[in-house]
Amino acid sequence: MSEILEKHIDKLGTVLLLFKANPPKAARELEAEKSALEADQAGADEITAAALYNSLATIRTCPEQIRPTGQLIAAISDARDELRIINEM
């Protein structure tokens, strides 16, 4: 469980940094991360799957998924924080 969550925590952190330096690349990385979050739900235990689902849903609440708007950055940060909290439990 912890390895999967750590992987996604790190990736979301990278996406946040990329949005400051290279928004087009960040948008591509975010799309890949959303796919990875969805794919990892399938083989995960119940708690991990729920955490991944909730993080993905948090990111998808933002209508803008390409440009680094405040809402998108906040959604990614919130999703990352949710994963951290579950990982610490």
Side-chain angles (χ1 to χ4, degrees), residues 1 10 12 20-22 34 40 55 58 67 74 84 88:
M1 172 171 106
D10 291 344
L12 290 172
K20 294 178 182 184
N22 189 342
K34 289 189 298 186
D40 283 347
S55 291
T58 299
R67 291 176 296 159
R84 278 186 178 155
E88 290 174 3

Side-chain angles (χ1 to χ4, degrees), residues 55 58 73-83:
S55 291
T58 299
I73 298 302
I76 296 168
S77 294
D78 289 349
R80 186 174 179 219
D81 290 343
E82 289 174 20
L83 292 175

Side-chain angles (χ1 to χ4, degrees), residues 6-19:
E6 283 293 330
K7 175 180 78 169
H8 292 292
I9 291 165
D10 291 344
K11 189 60 176 183
L12 290 172
T14 300
V15 169
L16 286 170
L17 291 174
L18 278 173
F19 266 123

